[in-house]
Amino acid sequence: MADIFKNIRRFLFGWANREFLIFLFFLLVAGVFWMLTTLNESYEQELKVPVRITNIPSNVVITSGESDTLRFTVQDKGFSLITYLYDKEHQPLSIDYHRYAGSDGRGVVPATDLMRLLDARLPASAKTTAVKPDTYRFYYNNGEKKTVPVKLNVSVETDMLYYIADTVMSTREVTVYATPEKLDSIHVVYTEPIRYKGLQDSLSVTARLRSIAGVKMVPSYIHVTFLTDMLTEVRIPGVEVKGVNMPPGKVLRTFPGKLDVIVVTGMKNSQTLTAEDFEIVADYNQFSADSTAQCDVFIRRQPASIKRLQIERQQVDYLIEEVKSEE
């Protein structure tokens, strides 16, 4: 071990390496000097700060967005700007409700006041040169609200062998707060777009509600679950054929009297389907004027979960029987 340290020291402090270490030392000194000179210059940097409305009366509801932020450009020495950039916990900019609230459900803070409020929280060497938006607006009401339904803005496509068996929402209604005029114009709120393709497994997402200026929504987001199922083809036997729009005293007899239907549906749903879930009919108004011995049949009732359906045959033989009335 002593020989190893001796060899390392000989290598580091050899004539050639000693020259190299001296070079590195002066290079480091020059780099530090350049960095100090550079950071001592003035620069401009755009920053963000959250906004908070203070001194709100107990009967007032702020209907602006909960995550309002301002972007402002600050001019200062490089040393200070580095501190701002790496300070992740900017204190919110406080705006006094009583000073800026108007009488129409809206408060307006001009750019000059915003820059003054920002400068007050910055070091003396810093100066705010611009602010975006140049005018900050907040909205409020006195508790007026109503409940409206939520509509999904959704485009979810499954894989070819699957389908959406059900869509479950954590809530189908939300409470909206706004001025009476705006409340009268709001009848439904929509989610932000939900887009997925090639879905196979069930999917749960958090969907934010599309924001409306001056409107607060509670809750501001919902949870949506898309339940998928694998498609399968199933034959349902023995669905009775019935006559509809038959004149009084007449009864339709078809041959065969029952037909099979072939359906494409979800695998889970296919296990509960029975013939009673379907209705096959022949319409007297359609075949009464036809001289052929066959009539068309079609599906009049089927479960909503059926994706595709086919009757084993489209026409059947028939007879019309007279039914004698009982005296």
Side-chain angles (χ1 to χ4, degrees):
M1 185 65 68
D3 291 339
I4 293 175
F5 283 115
K6 184 183 298 184
N7 291 331
I8 293 175
R9 186 176 59 180
R10 185 181 300 116
F11 172 79
L12 290 176
F13 295 99
W15 181 84
N17 289 321
R18 188 165 55 249
E19 296 290 333
F20 180 69
L21 291 175
I22 294 173
F23 169 76
L24 288 180
F25 172 75
F26 283 105
L27 180 63
L28 178 62
V29 171
V32 171
F33 179 77
W34 172 84
M35 183 179 67
L36 293 175
T37 303
T38 302
L39 293 178
N40 198 43
E41 299 290 334
S42 292
Y43 298 93
E44 288 190 348
Q45 179 66 43
E46 186 177 84
L47 304 171
K48 293 182 179 180
V49 62
V51 178
R52 182 181 62 189
I53 310 299
T54 60
N55 299 324
I56 304 171
S58 59
N59 64 328
V60 170
V61 177
I62 300 297
T63 59
S64 303
E66 297 178 354
S67 59
D68 285 348
T69 59
L70 286 176
R71 290 183 297 159
F72 66 101
T73 303
V74 62
Q75 184 182 58
D76 202 351
K77 301 289 187 181
F79 290 106
S80 298
L81 288 178
I82 289 178
T83 303
Y84 305 150
L85 289 174
Y86 288 96
D87 183 7
K88 300 298 182 182
E89 299 180 358
H90 294 295
Q91 292 298 318
L93 182 68
S94 297
I95 294 179
D96 192 317
Y97 168 86
H98 293 287
R99 179 167 185 173
Y100 297 102
S103 59
D104 57 352
R106 182 178 64 175
V108 180
V109 186
T112 52
D113 284 12
L114 290 174
M115 296 176 70
R116 176 180 56 79
L117 291 171
L118 289 168
D119 285 339
R121 54 186 287 154
L122 295 174
S125 60
K127 180 181 179 181
T128 303
T129 59
V131 61
K132 298 178 183 178
D134 55 6
T135 301
Y136 178 77
R137 292 177 172 84
F138 64 91
Y139 300 87
Y140 65 92
N141 75 355
N142 295 317
E144 295 88 355
K145 63 182 179 180
K146 76 175 185 179
T147 301
V148 296
V150 177
K151 296 293 184 182
L152 296 178
N153 180 3
V154 59
S155 175
V156 176
E157 299 178 9
T158 62
D159 187 78
M160 187 171 58
L161 298 179
Y162 295 80
Y163 83 111
I164 302 296
D166 195 10
T167 301
V168 181
M169 301 166 56
S170 60
T171 180
R172 294 185 177 272
E173 293 181 329
V174 296
T175 302
V176 293
Y177 295 82
T179 60
E181 295 77 12
K182 281 203 171 186
L183 285 178
D184 291 340
S185 66
I186 300 174
H187 305 290
V188 64
V189 294
Y190 293 88
T191 64
E192 294 290 344
I194 305 173
R195 303 285 184 264
Y196 288 94
K197 288 185 177 181
L199 200 63
Q200 293 184 356
D201 297 328
S202 295
L203 173 69
S204 295
V205 298
T206 298
R208 296 199 64 84
L209 300 181
R210 185 183 299 171
S211 61
I212 304 174
V215 178
K216 180 179 181 179
M217 305 175 193
V218 180
S220 60
Y221 60 88
I222 64 171
H223 300 291
V224 186
T225 301
F226 301 97
L227 301 175
T228 60
D229 196 2
M230 180 176 287
L231 291 173
T232 184
E233 185 176 277
V234 182
R235 177 180 287 265
I236 308 297
V239 181
E240 183 180 357
V241 181
K242 300 178 181 179
V244 294
N245 297 320
M246 299 298 296
K250 295 181 183 291
V251 175
L252 178 69
R253 305 294 185 189
T254 64
F255 307 94
K258 295 181 178 181
L259 296 173
D260 294 354
V261 293
I262 300 92
V263 301
V264 175
T265 185
M267 187 170 293
K268 295 179 182 177
N269 183 62
S270 66
Q271 300 172 4
T272 62
L273 293 177
T274 64
E276 286 70 28
D277 297 320
F278 302 86
E279 187 176 21
I280 301 177
V281 298
D283 191 344
Y284 179 82
N285 293 333
Q286 294 182 3
F287 66 78
S288 59
D290 199 340
S291 59
T292 63
Q294 293 186 323
C295 63
D296 294 332
V297 294
F298 59 92
I299 287 285
R300 188 168 71 170
R301 177 172 55 84
Q302 69 182 61
S305 58
I306 301 301
K307 298 290 116 180
R308 293 193 299 274
L309 182 146
Q310 180 182 355
I311 308 174
E312 65 172 324
R313 52 191 299 179
Q314 302 301 314
Q315 291 184 325
V316 293
D317 298 328
Y318 73 94
L319 289 175
I320 298 177
E321 293 183 353
E322 297 284 346
V323 179
K324 294 181 180 180
S325 61
E326 296 181 359
E327 295 182 359

